[in-house]
């Protein structure tokens, strides 16, 4: 029997998503070719699930406990990690630094390199390492593949990847823009091309990945040329709990005037800022409910979020010159018609015409929400980081 199944572990800062896929069965997308949107009826997906609120009240204690829960759920469906049909485990790893720009077979040395990158992604890489260690303990014989969030952005031009700071200091300490959510930006930019009936090489796309973490990217002909996250996943858009762009002098000011330490400021900007910092809620659904009741704090949070998003749409329109499509993805991008409309309304001079009626229709498939006359196609394109990771992992181990 040939082993053709891949288990994918996608550890976020407070969640663990998993999927078990059979790569021998038809899947609607291919690694390099055209992609069509994925539905729940795909025969390739054997199991999937999510453990949420890790480390929070009402959730499991930590990522080890979450993994144990996933292993138990799979075993109860006779799909456990002990299955001889497993070909590999694919792990999402958020930060790959400058070294990891391709899917990588995991060895002890690779694990220790990923651990060295923890200071650059303190909310994410530790969880990724835990997942790798637990899975390797359970199945030491099985190939385990790391797929990096940073990889898709690793070819960004120097003009976009460099910060304008002293070069020697930057080079010595690896201070440059890496970018994240790369598997999602790669998958969604390809799926957007497919939705337009084009090859990825033919289209320029702005991808707006709006989840709890959020980032924008400018993709020219299938290649990422700029993205909003930088050295860490803190730069760029306003997020659920992260500030995104601020004047770096805010940090000095808070240290000198408010007497805050570096760790306090790190915690403030990563965990107590963004939507939650502005209005106390980080879930866009709750913010929508509060706005409907005329809550001024929720309205302000929404307005700041959308203003930043519009700025990036404008910036990346200029970076790309010609924009063929803008694609909204991840939890907020796929579900919040209000965010999509507020971000793009009034941008007709840029050739962007969102259609309020089409935009308001709910759906789970990739779809266009622009007017028929819009020069720039506006699309909602569900992301599938797990499928992308599975395909990249399988490409390394397939017989
Ligand atoms: N129906 C909805 N309307 C508006 N926002 C939603 C909806 N469903 C989910 N979201 C938003 O999506 C976020 C989670 O997105 P997701 O892509 O799953 O994030 P992550 O992978 O970072 O955990 C939630 O915090 C919430 O703000
Ligand atoms: C990199 C990042 O921000 O990931 P997530 O959105 O899963 O927190
Ligand atoms: Mg995510």
């Amino acid at each position: 029997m040939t082993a053709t199944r891949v288990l994918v572990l996608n550890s976020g800062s407070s969640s663990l998503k998993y999927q078990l896929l059979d790569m021998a069965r038809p899947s609607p997308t291919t690694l390099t070719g055209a992609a069509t949107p994925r539905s729940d009826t795909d025969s390739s997906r054997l199991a999937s699930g999510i453990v949420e609120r890790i480390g929070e009240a009402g959730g499991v204690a930590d990522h080890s406990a979450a993994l144990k829960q996933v292993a138990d759920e799979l075993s109860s469906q006779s799909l456990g990690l002990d299955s001889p049909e497993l070909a590999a485990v694919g792990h999402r790893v958020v930060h790959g630094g400058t070294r990891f720009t391709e899917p990588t077979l995991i060895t002890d040395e690779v694990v220790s390199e990923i651990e060295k990158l923890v200071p650059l992604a303190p909310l994410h890489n530790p969880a990724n390492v835990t997942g790798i260690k637990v899975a390797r303990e359970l199945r030491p014989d099985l190939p385990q593949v790391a797929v990096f969030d940073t990889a898709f952005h690793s070819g960004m031009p120097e003009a976009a990847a460099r910060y304008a700071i002293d070069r020697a200091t930057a080079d010595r300490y690896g201070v440059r823009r890496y970018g994240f959510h790369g598997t999602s930006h790669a998958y969604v930019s390809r799926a957007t091309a497919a939705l337009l009936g084009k090859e990825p090489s033919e289209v320029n796309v702005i991808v707006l990945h709006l989840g709890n973490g959020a980032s924008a990217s400018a993709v020219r002909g299938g290649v990422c040329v700029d993205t909003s996250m930088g050295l860490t996943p803190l730069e760029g858009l306003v997020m659920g709990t992260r500030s995104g762009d601020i004047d770096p002098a805010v940090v000095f000011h808070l240290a000198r005037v408010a007497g805050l330490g570096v760790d306090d400021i790190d915690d403030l900007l990563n965990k107590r800022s963004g939507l939650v910092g502005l209005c106390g809620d980080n879930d866009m659904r709750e913010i929508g409910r509060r706005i409907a009741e005329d809550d001024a704090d929720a309205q302000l949070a929404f307005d700041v979020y959308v203003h930043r998003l519009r700025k990036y749409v404008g910036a990346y329109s200029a970076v790309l010159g010609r924009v063929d499509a803008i694609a909204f993805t991840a939890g907020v991008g796929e579900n919040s018609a209000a965010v999509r409309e507020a971000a793009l309304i009034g941008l007709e001079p840029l050739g962007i015409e969102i259609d309020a009626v089409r935009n308001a229709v709910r759906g789970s498939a990739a779809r266009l929400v622009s007017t028929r006359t819009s020069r720039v196609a506006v699309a909602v394109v569900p992301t599938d980081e797990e499928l992308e990771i599975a395909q990249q992992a399988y490409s390394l181990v397939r017989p």
Side-chain angles (χ1 to χ4, degrees):
M1 176 178 53
T2 337
T4 54
R5 293 179 180 178
V6 177
L7 173 65
V8 175
L9 299 177
N10 174 352
S11 305
S13 41
S14 66
S15 69
L16 171 62
K17 297 179 185 168
Y18 71 91
Q19 281 191 23
L20 180 67
L21 295 125
D22 191 337
M23 308 313 287
R25 297 199 199 174
S27 144
T29 72
T30 58
L31 188 56
T32 50
T36 36
R38 194 168 160 72
S39 75
D40 286 329
T41 55
D42 290 339
S43 57
S44 56
R45 180 157 52 200
L46 304 174
S48 66
I50 179 168
V51 184
E52 288 179 285
R53 295 202 304 277
I54 298 173
E56 292 171 25
V60 297
D62 53 26
H63 280 84
S64 292
L67 262 163
K68 168 103 182 41
Q69 190 175 319
V70 169
D72 290 347
E73 279 171 26
L74 287 169
S75 295
S76 72
Q77 302 170 63
S78 306
L79 296 168
L81 262 162
D82 52 358
S83 160
E85 287 167 85
L86 262 188
V89 182
H91 297 268
R92 175 192 185 200
V93 179
V94 164
H95 214 307
T98 45
R99 160 148 177 206
F100 298 112
T101 59
E102 300 286 340
T104 303
L105 208 53
I106 295 171
T107 60
D108 291 344
E109 194 261 337
V110 168
V111 175
S112 85
E113 284 300 307
I114 294 171
E115 282 178 321
K116 283 188 197 148
L117 295 165
V118 162
L120 294 177
L123 300 182
H124 296 92
N125 270 36
N128 306 150
V129 170
T130 300
I132 290 170
K133 286 187 170 165
V134 172
R136 288 181 91 207
E137 268 162 34
L138 292 171
R139 279 297 298 273
D141 58 310
L142 200 62
Q144 314 249 343
V145 180
V147 177
F148 297 89
D149 260 41
T150 43
F152 182 59
H153 309 296
S154 65
M156 275 196 300
E158 282 292 287
R162 282 269 175 194
Y163 291 113
I165 63 171
D166 173 67
R167 268 185 81 166
T169 307
D171 289 346
R172 177 154 180 208
Y173 296 104
V175 178
R176 59 184 287 115
R177 309 190 60 254
Y178 295 93
F180 301 89
H181 296 133
T183 50
S184 178
H185 288 287
Y187 176 88
V188 170
S189 56
R190 282 204 320 273
T192 305
L195 185 67
L196 301 180
K198 301 252 168 76
E199 290 298 320
S201 60
E202 296 174 303
V203 294
N204 295 347
V205 188
I206 297 173
V207 179
L208 303 171
H209 175 108
L210 311 177
N212 224 328
S215 65
S217 70
V219 182
R220 175 181 288 134
V223 177
C224 179
V225 293
D226 203 353
T227 194
S228 60
M229 285 178 165
L231 174 74
T232 77
L234 181 56
E235 192 180 339
L237 300 176
V238 175
M239 311 183 208
T241 66
R242 295 171 232 165
S243 62
D245 296 334
I246 53 164
D247 180 344
V250 169
V251 176
F252 319 140
H253 183 74
L254 290 175
R256 292 186 189 125
V257 177
L260 296 183
V262 154
D263 291 335
D264 293 331
I265 301 173
D266 191 327
D267 191 75
L268 175 78
L269 297 180
N270 271 300
K271 298 186 179 161
R272 292 182 280 128
S273 295
L275 294 171
V276 87
L278 287 165
C279 77
D281 272 307
N282 64 345
D283 192 314
M284 200 50 89
R285 287 164 286 201
E286 190 53 32
I287 289 171
R289 276 192 280 275
R290 285 174 56 184
I291 289 173
E293 292 164 5
D294 291 325
D295 182 315
D297 293 344
Q299 184 68 57
L300 177 68
F302 182 89
D303 292 348
V304 174
Y305 183 96
V306 164
H307 180 75
R308 184 79 50 84
L309 198 53
R310 285 171 78 86
K311 286 215 286 198
Y312 272 92
V313 169
Y316 288 174
S317 297
V319 165
L320 290 171
R322 189 198 82 224
V323 182
D324 299 300
I326 297 172
F328 286 89
T329 196
V332 176
E334 291 168 30
N335 295 297
S336 176
V339 165
R340 293 192 299 261
E341 178 167 332
L344 300 184
I345 199 88
L347 296 185
E348 291 79 9
L350 296 181
I352 302 165
E353 294 172 24
I354 188 161
D355 183 319
V357 176
R358 292 172 104 185
N359 182 47
V361 178
R362 298 193 62 82
S364 56
R367 59 198 183 276
L368 290 174
V369 297
S370 39
T371 65
R372 291 175 211 283
T373 53
S374 185
R375 189 157 48 75
V376 178
V378 180
V380 178
V381 181
T383 193
D384 199 334
E385 289 166 293
E386 290 77 19
L387 175 63
E388 180 75 20
I389 291 168
Q391 289 178 330
Q392 295 200 18
Y394 194 61
S395 71
L396 272 193
V397 304
R398 66 186 312 156

